[in-house]
Amino acid sequence: MNKIFNCDIMEGFKQLDSQSVDCVITSPPYWQLRNYGFDGQWGLEPTFEEYLENLWKMMDEINRVLKDTGTVWINLGDTYSTKSGGFAQEASKRTPSMTQKYLDHIGTIQQPSNLPTKSLLLIPHRFAIGCFDRGWTIRNDIIWAKTSAMPESVLDRFSKKHEYIFFMTKKPKGYYFDLDSVREEHMQSTLKREMRGRNTGKYTGGAGGQSEQGLIKEREHKGYENMKDIYESGETTLNPKGKNPGDVADFWKIGTAMSKTEHVASYNPALIDKPILAGCPRGGVVLDPFSGTGTTLVRASQLGRQYIGFEASEQFFKITEESVNQEEERKSQPTIEDFI
Ligand SMILES: C[S@@+](CC[C@H](N)C(=O)[O-])C[C@H]1O[C@@H](n2cnc3c(N)ncnc32)[C@H](O)[C@@H]1O
């Protein structure tokens, strides 16, 4: 099933059957942020309304190709209105060494002049509301808190260090979601508290000649090994498989990744592990309709999923081809298990 298409997004969708995809993970070009250097690219529409119309056209196609059990994860960042043009242009003037790569790409981005200057355009929010109006179930608006985002030398507002990942489904129930696959270990302090039995008040201590303090210490240090028993005895409500991921579950602290290629907007593979693991069954098909350098596709393959990608830029498509071929090659190599 693994397929990559060097074509426009809407041409790509024509290649796919209805209800053939388990999971869509993508990062569309953000509005007026950069010029990828080819005609027909999305993101450079003269108005953000036209840009949003295109994204909703994409969502309609996703609705068609996605199985009813499928999940969708759309990563979107916002744009500030400026008099001079897009955010990248503004940023590149301020920190030229950081953004030289961007300068080659942004070209002559020009925003319409009727927008309130210096305002966030709230494009992710508008996009999500439009999806809601089209019948999508918005399950989460996850915050991607970018721990290593590009510096901004602004003095009249805070730096903008987050983007959104909208997790959407076609139906409110019955979609694939495997929370257990992405649970994280409970914090030591939480475990210790539970081991002491404080949450339920059921533990009274003082058995077998040990002092209550002694028993408490012993129980604290047993940690996970002891969790199952305590869970089964009803002394804790903590899940022995771990907690819902993230410091707060829908707040993901993940750094941006330096691109190893010419692509200026490839995302950190760590960002898409949770969507792939929780949102697509093993062996299922992940689609990235703006596959760029193929980050989603390679990661999907590494995690035992199939993949489909569309990318209109010939340059980035070649990088995708190389990356997925390398991954296929790696997978075909014998592993230590083959010799045991
Ligand atoms: C934000 S980037 C995606 C980066 C990708 N997640 C990665 O890690 O490499 C968006 C991509 O959409 C592509 N693109 C823009 N307009 C397109 C269109 N109409 N059809 C297909 N691809 C398009 C751009 O070339 C760019 O590579």
Side-chain angles (χ1 to χ4, degrees), residues 7-10 27-30 34 36 38 40-42 263 265-267 288-296 310-313 316:
C7 67
D8 178 77
I9 180 166
M10 296 315 276
S27 178
Y30 301 165
R34 52 184 64 98
Y36 288 104
F38 60 90
Q41 67 185 286
W42 289 13
H263 204 293
S266 54
Y267 46 34
D288 185 346
F290 290 111
S291 57
T293 51
T295 317
T296 312
F310 313 144
E311 172 55 53
S313 150
F316 299 140

Short mmCIF file of all heavy atoms in Angstrom, two decimals, residues 7-10 27-30 34 36 38 40-42 263 265-267 288-296 310-313 316, ligand 1:
data_model
loop_
_atom_site.label_atom_id
_atom_site.label_comp_id
_atom_site.label_asym_id
_atom_site.label_seq_id
_atom_site.Cartn_x
_atom_site.Cartn_y
_atom_site.Cartn_z
N CYS A 7 2.52 15.30 -6.79
CA CYS A 7 1.40 15.96 -7.46
C CYS A 7 0.74 16.95 -6.53
O CYS A 7 1.00 16.98 -5.33
CB CYS A 7 0.37 14.91 -7.90
SG CYS A 7 -0.45 14.11 -6.53
N ASP A 8 -0.15 17.74 -7.13
CA ASP A 8 -0.95 18.68 -6.35
C ASP A 8 -1.86 17.88 -5.40
O ASP A 8 -2.32 16.78 -5.74
CB ASP A 8 -1.80 19.52 -7.31
CG ASP A 8 -2.67 20.48 -6.53
OD1 ASP A 8 -2.14 21.50 -6.07
OD2 ASP A 8 -3.88 20.18 -6.36
N ILE A 9 -2.15 18.46 -4.27
CA ILE A 9 -2.95 17.76 -3.25
C ILE A 9 -4.28 17.25 -3.80
O ILE A 9 -4.67 16.11 -3.55
CB ILE A 9 -3.15 18.65 -2.01
CG1 ILE A 9 -3.98 17.94 -0.94
CG2 ILE A 9 -3.76 20.01 -2.33
CD1 ILE A 9 -3.95 18.58 0.42
N MET A 10 -4.97 18.08 -4.60
CA MET A 10 -6.30 17.67 -5.05
C MET A 10 -6.20 16.55 -6.10
O MET A 10 -7.09 15.70 -6.19
CB MET A 10 -7.11 18.87 -5.59
CG MET A 10 -7.41 19.91 -4.53
SD MET A 10 -8.00 19.26 -2.94
CE MET A 10 -9.73 19.08 -3.27
N SER A 27 0.76 18.81 8.10
CA SER A 27 1.04 20.20 8.44
C SER A 27 0.95 20.99 7.14
O SER A 27 1.89 20.99 6.35
CB SER A 27 2.45 20.28 9.04
OG SER A 27 2.76 21.59 9.32
N PRO A 28 -0.19 21.63 6.91
CA PRO A 28 -0.33 22.39 5.66
C PRO A 28 0.60 23.60 5.67
O PRO A 28 1.01 24.04 6.75
CB PRO A 28 -1.79 22.87 5.69
CG PRO A 28 -2.47 22.10 6.77
CD PRO A 28 -1.41 21.69 7.74
N PRO A 29 0.91 24.16 4.49
CA PRO A 29 1.68 25.40 4.51
C PRO A 29 0.86 26.44 5.27
O PRO A 29 -0.35 26.50 5.12
CB PRO A 29 1.77 25.80 3.02
CG PRO A 29 1.27 24.64 2.24
CD PRO A 29 0.48 23.76 3.13
N TYR A 30 1.52 27.22 6.14
CA TYR A 30 0.79 28.27 6.87
C TYR A 30 0.58 29.45 5.93
O TYR A 30 1.35 29.65 4.99
CB TYR A 30 1.56 28.71 8.12
CG TYR A 30 1.82 27.57 9.09
CD1 TYR A 30 2.76 27.70 10.10
CD2 TYR A 30 1.14 26.36 8.98
CE1 TYR A 30 3.00 26.66 10.99
CE2 TYR A 30 1.37 25.32 9.87
CZ TYR A 30 2.32 25.47 10.87
OH TYR A 30 2.56 24.44 11.74
N ARG A 34 5.67 31.41 3.83
CA ARG A 34 6.84 31.21 2.98
C ARG A 34 6.43 30.77 1.59
O ARG A 34 5.32 30.25 1.40
CB ARG A 34 7.80 30.19 3.60
CG ARG A 34 7.22 28.89 3.99
CD ARG A 34 8.27 28.06 4.68
NE ARG A 34 8.71 28.68 5.91
CZ ARG A 34 8.24 28.35 7.12
NH1 ARG A 34 7.34 27.40 7.24
NH2 ARG A 34 8.68 28.94 8.20
N TYR A 36 7.20 28.33 -1.37
CA TYR A 36 7.90 27.08 -1.66
C TYR A 36 8.42 27.02 -3.10
O TYR A 36 9.03 26.04 -3.50
CB TYR A 36 6.99 25.88 -1.37
CG TYR A 36 6.80 25.66 0.12
CD1 TYR A 36 5.61 26.03 0.74
CD2 TYR A 36 7.80 25.11 0.89
CE1 TYR A 36 5.43 25.84 2.10
CE2 TYR A 36 7.63 24.93 2.26
CZ TYR A 36 6.44 25.30 2.86
OH TYR A 36 6.28 25.13 4.21
N PHE A 38 6.82 27.18 -6.23
CA PHE A 38 6.17 26.57 -7.42
C PHE A 38 4.75 27.09 -7.55
O PHE A 38 4.14 27.52 -6.54
CB PHE A 38 6.20 25.03 -7.35
CG PHE A 38 5.49 24.43 -6.18
CD1 PHE A 38 4.13 24.11 -6.25
CD2 PHE A 38 6.16 24.19 -4.98
CE1 PHE A 38 3.47 23.55 -5.15
CE2 PHE A 38 5.51 23.64 -3.88
CZ PHE A 38 4.16 23.32 -3.97
N GLY A 40 0.78 27.21 -7.96
CA GLY A 40 -0.32 26.37 -7.46
C GLY A 40 -0.14 25.95 -6.02
O GLY A 40 -0.96 25.19 -5.48
N GLN A 41 0.92 26.42 -5.38
CA GLN A 41 1.12 26.03 -3.97
C GLN A 41 0.06 26.70 -3.09
O GLN A 41 -0.43 27.79 -3.41
CB GLN A 41 2.50 26.45 -3.49
CG GLN A 41 2.68 27.95 -3.42
CD GLN A 41 4.12 28.32 -3.05
OE1 GLN A 41 4.51 28.17 -1.91
NE2 GLN A 41 4.87 28.80 -4.03
N TRP A 42 -0.30 26.04 -2.03
CA TRP A 42 -1.22 26.60 -1.06
C TRP A 42 -0.41 27.39 -0.03
O TRP A 42 0.76 27.10 0.21
CB TRP A 42 -2.02 25.50 -0.37
CG TRP A 42 -3.03 24.85 -1.26
CD1 TRP A 42 -3.13 24.98 -2.63
CD2 TRP A 42 -4.09 23.98 -0.87
NE1 TRP A 42 -4.17 24.23 -3.10
CE2 TRP A 42 -4.78 23.61 -2.03
CE3 TRP A 42 -4.52 23.47 0.35
CZ2 TRP A 42 -5.88 22.75 -2.00
CZ3 TRP A 42 -5.61 22.62 0.39
CH2 TRP A 42 -6.28 22.26 -0.78
N HIS A 263 14.35 21.73 3.26
CA HIS A 263 13.00 22.11 3.63
C HIS A 263 13.03 22.96 4.89
O HIS A 263 13.69 22.61 5.86
CB HIS A 263 12.14 20.86 3.88
CG HIS A 263 10.69 21.12 3.70
ND1 HIS A 263 9.98 21.95 4.54
CD2 HIS A 263 9.81 20.69 2.75
CE1 HIS A 263 8.72 21.99 4.12
NE2 HIS A 263 8.59 21.24 3.04
N ALA A 265 10.37 23.82 6.72
CA ALA A 265 9.23 23.64 7.63
C ALA A 265 8.96 22.18 7.96
O ALA A 265 7.84 21.80 8.20
CB ALA A 265 7.97 24.26 7.01
N SER A 266 10.00 21.37 7.95
CA SER A 266 9.75 19.97 8.29
C SER A 266 9.58 19.88 9.81
O SER A 266 10.20 20.62 10.55
CB SER A 266 10.91 19.07 7.85
OG SER A 266 12.11 19.55 8.38
N TYR A 267 8.70 18.97 10.26
CA TYR A 267 8.48 18.95 11.69
C TYR A 267 9.28 17.86 12.39
O TYR A 267 9.86 16.99 11.76
CB TYR A 267 7.01 18.94 12.10
CG TYR A 267 6.05 18.00 11.41
CD1 TYR A 267 6.41 16.75 10.96
CD2 TYR A 267 4.73 18.40 11.25
CE1 TYR A 267 5.49 15.91 10.38
CE2 TYR A 267 3.80 17.56 10.66
CZ TYR A 267 4.18 16.32 10.23
OH TYR A 267 3.27 15.49 9.65
N ASP A 288 -0.37 11.56 4.57
CA ASP A 288 0.05 12.96 4.75
C ASP A 288 -0.09 13.66 3.40
O ASP A 288 0.73 13.46 2.50
CB ASP A 288 1.49 13.06 5.26
CG ASP A 288 1.87 14.51 5.56
OD1 ASP A 288 1.13 15.42 5.14
OD2 ASP A 288 2.90 14.74 6.24
N PRO A 289 -1.15 14.48 3.22
CA PRO A 289 -1.38 15.10 1.91
C PRO A 289 -0.45 16.29 1.61
O PRO A 289 -0.48 16.81 0.50
CB PRO A 289 -2.84 15.57 2.00
CG PRO A 289 -3.15 15.66 3.44
CD PRO A 289 -2.23 14.75 4.18
N PHE A 290 0.37 16.72 2.58
CA PHE A 290 1.43 17.71 2.34
C PHE A 290 2.71 17.12 2.89
O PHE A 290 3.23 17.57 3.91
CB PHE A 290 1.14 19.03 3.08
CG PHE A 290 0.00 19.83 2.53
CD1 PHE A 290 -1.18 19.96 3.25
CD2 PHE A 290 0.10 20.48 1.30
CE1 PHE A 290 -2.24 20.71 2.77
CE2 PHE A 290 -0.95 21.23 0.81
CZ PHE A 290 -2.12 21.35 1.54
N SER A 291 3.24 16.10 2.22
CA SER A 291 4.25 15.28 2.91
C SER A 291 5.62 15.92 2.99
O SER A 291 6.48 15.41 3.71
CB SER A 291 4.30 13.89 2.29
OG SER A 291 4.57 13.98 0.93
N GLY A 292 5.88 17.02 2.28
CA GLY A 292 7.17 17.73 2.41
C GLY A 292 8.33 16.79 2.15
O GLY A 292 8.47 16.21 1.08
N THR A 293 9.15 16.60 3.18
CA THR A 293 10.32 15.73 3.04
C THR A 293 10.02 14.30 3.48
O THR A 293 10.92 13.48 3.57
CB THR A 293 11.48 16.27 3.90
OG1 THR A 293 10.97 16.50 5.22
CG2 THR A 293 12.02 17.57 3.33
N GLY A 294 8.77 14.05 3.83
CA GLY A 294 8.37 12.67 4.13
C GLY A 294 8.50 12.27 5.59
O GLY A 294 8.49 11.08 5.92
N THR A 295 8.58 13.25 6.50
CA THR A 295 8.75 12.93 7.92
C THR A 295 7.65 11.99 8.42
O THR A 295 7.92 10.98 9.07
CB THR A 295 8.72 14.22 8.79
OG1 THR A 295 9.48 15.23 8.14
CG2 THR A 295 9.26 13.98 10.17
N THR A 296 6.38 12.32 8.10
CA THR A 296 5.27 11.50 8.58
C THR A 296 5.39 10.08 8.02
O THR A 296 5.16 9.10 8.74
CB THR A 296 3.91 12.07 8.10
OG1 THR A 296 3.87 13.46 8.38
CG2 THR A 296 2.74 11.37 8.74
N PHE A 310 1.39 12.95 -0.54
CA PHE A 310 1.33 13.81 -1.73
C PHE A 310 2.29 14.97 -1.48
O PHE A 310 2.29 15.55 -0.39
CB PHE A 310 -0.04 14.46 -1.95
CG PHE A 310 -1.22 13.53 -1.84
CD1 PHE A 310 -2.42 14.00 -1.28
CD2 PHE A 310 -1.18 12.23 -2.33
CE1 PHE A 310 -3.53 13.19 -1.18
CE2 PHE A 310 -2.30 11.40 -2.23
CZ PHE A 310 -3.47 11.88 -1.65
N GLU A 311 3.07 15.32 -2.49
CA GLU A 311 3.92 16.51 -2.37
C GLU A 311 4.10 17.08 -3.79
O GLU A 311 4.52 16.37 -4.69
CB GLU A 311 5.28 16.15 -1.75
CG GLU A 311 6.31 17.25 -1.74
CD GLU A 311 5.85 18.57 -1.09
OE1 GLU A 311 5.38 18.56 0.05
OE2 GLU A 311 5.97 19.61 -1.77
N ALA A 312 3.75 18.37 -3.94
CA ALA A 312 3.78 18.97 -5.28
C ALA A 312 5.19 19.41 -5.68
O ALA A 312 5.51 19.43 -6.87
CB ALA A 312 2.82 20.15 -5.34
N SER A 313 6.02 19.77 -4.72
CA SER A 313 7.36 20.26 -5.07
C SER A 313 8.25 19.09 -5.49
O SER A 313 8.39 18.11 -4.75
CB SER A 313 7.98 20.98 -3.86
OG SER A 313 9.38 20.86 -3.89
N PHE A 316 11.21 18.62 -2.99
CA PHE A 316 10.92 17.94 -1.72
C PHE A 316 10.50 16.50 -1.96
O PHE A 316 10.76 15.62 -1.14
CB PHE A 316 9.84 18.69 -0.93
CG PHE A 316 10.26 20.09 -0.56
CD1 PHE A 316 9.37 21.14 -0.61
CD2 PHE A 316 11.57 20.36 -0.20
CE1 PHE A 316 9.75 22.43 -0.29
CE2 PHE A 316 11.98 21.65 0.13
CZ PHE A 316 11.07 22.68 0.07
C1 LIG B 1 4.62 22.71 6.10
S1 LIG B 1 5.24 21.83 4.75
C2 LIG B 1 5.13 20.14 5.26
C3 LIG B 1 6.41 19.65 5.86
C4 LIG B 1 6.38 18.20 6.28
N1 LIG B 1 5.52 17.98 7.42
C5 LIG B 1 7.81 17.71 6.61
O1 LIG B 1 8.06 17.34 7.78
O2 LIG B 1 8.66 17.75 5.74
C6 LIG B 1 3.99 21.93 3.54
C7 LIG B 1 4.33 21.27 2.22
O3 LIG B 1 3.20 21.41 1.35
C8 LIG B 1 3.67 21.45 0.01
N2 LIG B 1 2.60 22.02 -0.83
C9 LIG B 1 2.19 23.30 -0.90
N3 LIG B 1 1.14 23.43 -1.74
C10 LIG B 1 0.86 22.18 -2.20
C11 LIG B 1 -0.15 21.66 -3.07
N4 LIG B 1 -1.06 22.44 -3.65
N5 LIG B 1 -0.17 20.34 -3.29
C12 LIG B 1 0.75 19.51 -2.69
N6 LIG B 1 1.74 19.95 -1.88
C13 LIG B 1 1.78 21.27 -1.62
C14 LIG B 1 4.93 22.31 0.11
O4 LIG B 1 5.83 22.07 -0.95
C15 LIG B 1 5.50 21.88 1.47
O5 LIG B 1 6.48 20.88 1.31
#
